């Protein structure tokens, strides 16, 4: 299989274009590095040889020249000949000549070119005068030709070995490259050439060569991403095919007309419904202006002539003798050169809507009459509901006040009973004292004892009567505040303290003693009865619900805190009871909602609190609670309440 001039069949490594290019670059780089390294090595070898020759010549000068001079001085020519013959046998010494006057001794062949020549003097020291006398010279020659031949041979050998090594390595690299890259690339290319999104079972798989390829290398990642891409392409194709099929079906069954024109306003496409209604043929384009049924639609033709997008073009068309209404809208298409290409638009049949408008108009008139009747009935029912709600709220207030009366009556009975007992003791002491005095049997000890009993009884009588009087005063104040609906200036601490004392019969059932904390001089102008009713309901709610089960804390606590904040007074009510679950937070202020249904709960306590705070006292109420951690109310009330002229309690 070929694509242009590239083959995608499995080919030999030597036919790989990418591999050959890579090997060519490797060979080029290797040749450059090999040449540089070889020349460097030759330079070092040449230098080494030259140094060795220099050392040999210096050795002749420093070691052997003195011996040769002594042989000449002693005329020992035989030893001189032997010595010179041995010196010529040394490496890098090719010619040696000893000259002394007319006497000359040469060994080796004299060199004419590429020669290194040194002439050293032969001297001898006189035994008597110790003077140095020149008796001759020694000439040493070494040939450079041998060195050059050795270097050339070394260069050629190194170059040949490196060339063979480079060829072998490059071929191995080409084979590895072929198996690790080329074959897998060709597999990917062949897969992509044969790939069709309609074949759901197609998966790309490439051959793995042991020790050459890995399952997690870069090309394996490319294979994975190719499979992922083809899967996404297949999913996109299927989705696109589904959308096209769906759009075609919608166009077939849609009541809208779909149409398209070219730049000359010829109707090049129309949905089947439009073709059927206008009695047109889909095979022959027809100018929009020549469609017989659309001739009267002047507004439509005007919009088309402007060659601009338009919407909500309502036209009236006679189809098969029936008058129908349509709304045309279209998108004008332009190319990058801003040349008009045509329209794509829709037409919606609104005949049913037009006919329905008349029926709807008549129905609206009838509905208006019925609505007026129902409105009157609802107004009457709403008035009755408001009256009933007011009665229920008043009933709840009097019910709470009745419970308060009963508790206070029970609380007052205790000090009154003690006072009656103290009165009886006082009467007995009086009679005993009178009889003893009358019979003149009264002793000092008896008098003292009777006086002590009398004093104790009087003190007990006084303290309990005072306690009863204080209870009655607090109860009277609380009752008057809760019943009274007059706006006045009052001390916050005093009325709340009186309320807490009057509610002692209810709070001691838990038992819990509400703590009051705040500025004892802080005053506000509002409805004290409403405020005490709110706090009383919160306390009653806590005593009845917050501390009523096994989760009640060891030490029940209620804290009432108030403080000024700008032109407002903030009241915080906190208890450490069982709290309220989150799903009930939106229900606790609803009227008639209670968890004590059948046990005396009416469900109006917190609803009354909400209405009094937000309407009568013109404040805000916030609430938070976590199960097991109690609850927390925030009441923010104005210091100076606006004068109320409407009903005291609004529903």
């Amino acid at each position: 299989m070929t694509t242009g001039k590239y083959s995608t069949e499995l080919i030999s490594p030597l036919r790989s274009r990418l591999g050959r290019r890579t090997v060519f670059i490797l060979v080029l780089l290797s040749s450059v590095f090999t040449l540089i390294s070889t020349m460097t090595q030759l330079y070092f070898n040449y230098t080494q040889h030259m140094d060795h020759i220099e050392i040999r010549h210096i050795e002749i000068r420093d070691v052997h020249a003195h011996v040769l001079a002594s042989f000449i001085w002693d005329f020992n020519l035989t030893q001189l000949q032997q010595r010179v013959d041995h010196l010529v046998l040394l490496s890098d010494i090719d010619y040696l000549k000893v000259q002394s006057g007319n006497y000359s001794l040469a060994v080796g062949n004299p060199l004419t070119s590429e020669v290194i020549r040194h002439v050293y003097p032969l001297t001898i020291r006189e035994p008597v005068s110790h003077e140095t006398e020149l008796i001759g010279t020694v000439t040493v020659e070494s040939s450079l030709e041998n060195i050059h031949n050795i270097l050339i041979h070394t260069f050629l050998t190194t170059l040949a070995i490196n060339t063979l090594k480079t060829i072998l390595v490059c071929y191995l690299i080409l084979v590895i490259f072929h198996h690790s890259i080329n074959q897998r690339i060709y597999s990917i290319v062949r897969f992509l050439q044969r790939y069709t999104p309609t074949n759901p079972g197609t998966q790309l798989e490439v051959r793995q060569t042991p020790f050459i390829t890995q399952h997690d290398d870069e090309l394996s990642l490319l294979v994975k991403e190719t499979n992922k891409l083809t899967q996404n392409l297949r999913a996109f194709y299927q989705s696109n095919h589904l959308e096209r099929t769906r759009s075609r079906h919608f166009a077939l069954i849609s009541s809208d007309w779909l149409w398209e024109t070219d730049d000359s306003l010829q109707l090049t496409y129309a949905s089947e419904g439009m073709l059927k209604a206008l009695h047109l043929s889909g095979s022959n384009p027809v100018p929009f202006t020549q469609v017989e049924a659309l001739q009267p639609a002047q507004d439509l033709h005007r919009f088309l002539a402007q060659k601009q997008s338009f919407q909500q073009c309502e036209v009236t068309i006679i189809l098969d003798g029936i008058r129908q209404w349509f709304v045309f809208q279209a998108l004008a298409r332009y190319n990058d050169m801003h040349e008009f290409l045509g329209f794509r638009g829709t037409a919606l049949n609104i005949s049913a809507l037009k006919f329905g408008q008349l029926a709807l108009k008549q129905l609206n008139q009838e509905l208006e009459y019925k609505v007026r009747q129902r409105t009157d009935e609802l107004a009457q029912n709403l008035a009755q509901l408001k009256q009933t709600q007011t009665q229920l709220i008043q009933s709840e207030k009097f019910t709470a006040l009745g419970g308060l009366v009963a508790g206070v009556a029970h609380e007052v009975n205790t000090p009154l009973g003690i006072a009656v007992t103290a009165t009886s003791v006082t009467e007995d002491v009086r009679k005993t004292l009178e009889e003893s005095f009358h019979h003149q049997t009264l002793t000092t000890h008896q008098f003292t004892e009777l006086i002590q009993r009398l004093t104790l009884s009087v003190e007990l009588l006084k303290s309990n009567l005072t306690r009863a009087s204080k209870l009655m005063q607090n109860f009277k104040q609380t009752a008057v505040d809760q019943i009274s609906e007059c706006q006045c200036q009052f001390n916050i601490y005093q009325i709340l303290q009186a309320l807490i004392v009057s509610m002692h019969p209810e709070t001691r059932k838990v038992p819990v003693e509400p703590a009051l904390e705040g500025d004892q001089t802080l005053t506000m102008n509002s409805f004290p009865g409403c405020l005490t009713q709110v706090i009383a309901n919160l306390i009653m709610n806590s005593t009845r619900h917050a501390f009523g089960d096994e989760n009640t804390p060891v030490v029940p606590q209620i804290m009432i805190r108030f403080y000024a904040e700008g032109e407002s007074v903030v009241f915080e009510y906190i208890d450490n009871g069982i709290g309220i679950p989150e799903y009930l937070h939106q229900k606790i202020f609803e009227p008639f909602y209670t968890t004590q249904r059948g046990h005396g709960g009416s469900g109006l306590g917190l609803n009354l609190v909400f209405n009094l705070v937000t309407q009568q006292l013109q404040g805000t109420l916030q609430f938070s609670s976590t199960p097991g951690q109690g609850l927390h109310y925030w009441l923010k009330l104005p210091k100076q309440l606006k004068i109320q002229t409407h009903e005291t309690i609004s529903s």
Side-chain angles (χ1 to χ4, degrees), residues 601-619:
S602 65
L604 291 175
L606 290 180
N607 178 255
L608 176 63
V609 168
F610 182 81
N611 287 336
L612 290 176
V613 170
T614 58
Q615 299 183 31
Q616 190 73 1
L617 298 177
Q618 301 178 11

Side-chain angles (χ1 to χ4, degrees), residues 363-374:
L363 181 61
N364 285 338
Q365 294 176 352
E366 297 177 357
L367 286 177
E368 288 178 0
Y369 175 74
K370 292 182 179 180
V371 166
R372 284 195 297 270
Q373 288 183 331
R374 294 293 177 87

Side-chain angles (χ1 to χ4, degrees), residues 375-428:
T375 302
D376 295 339
E377 295 176 0
L378 288 175
Q380 295 177 1
N381 293 336
L382 182 60
Q384 294 177 359
L385 182 60
K386 288 184 178 180
Q387 183 179 2
T388 302
Q389 184 181 13
T390 303
Q391 293 174 356
L392 287 174
I393 293 175
Q394 294 294 339
S395 174
E396 179 70 14
K397 292 174 61 177
F398 283 111
T399 298
L401 186 59
L404 182 63
V405 170
V408 170
H410 178 76
E411 189 74 14
V412 171
N413 280 337
T414 300
L416 289 180
I418 296 174
V420 171
T421 302
T423 303
S424 299
V425 172
T426 302
E427 182 65 21
D428 292 340

Side-chain angles (χ1 to χ4, degrees), residues 466-509:
T466 302
R467 177 184 173 189
S469 175
K470 185 176 181 181
L471 284 173
M472 293 304 297
Q473 289 177 357
N474 290 334
F475 167 71
K476 180 180 178 182
Q477 179 63 39
T478 302
V480 169
D481 286 343
Q482 294 191 10
I483 296 300
S484 174
E485 296 179 351
C486 297
Q487 180 177 341
C488 63
Q489 189 82 15
F490 60 90
N491 183 281
I492 302 174
Y493 187 88
Q494 291 179 358
I495 68 163
L496 293 184
Q497 186 64 37
L499 173 66
I500 292 173
V501 173
S502 65
M503 294 194 69
H504 181 69
E506 185 69 27
T507 57
R508 72 176 183 177
K509 296 176 183 178

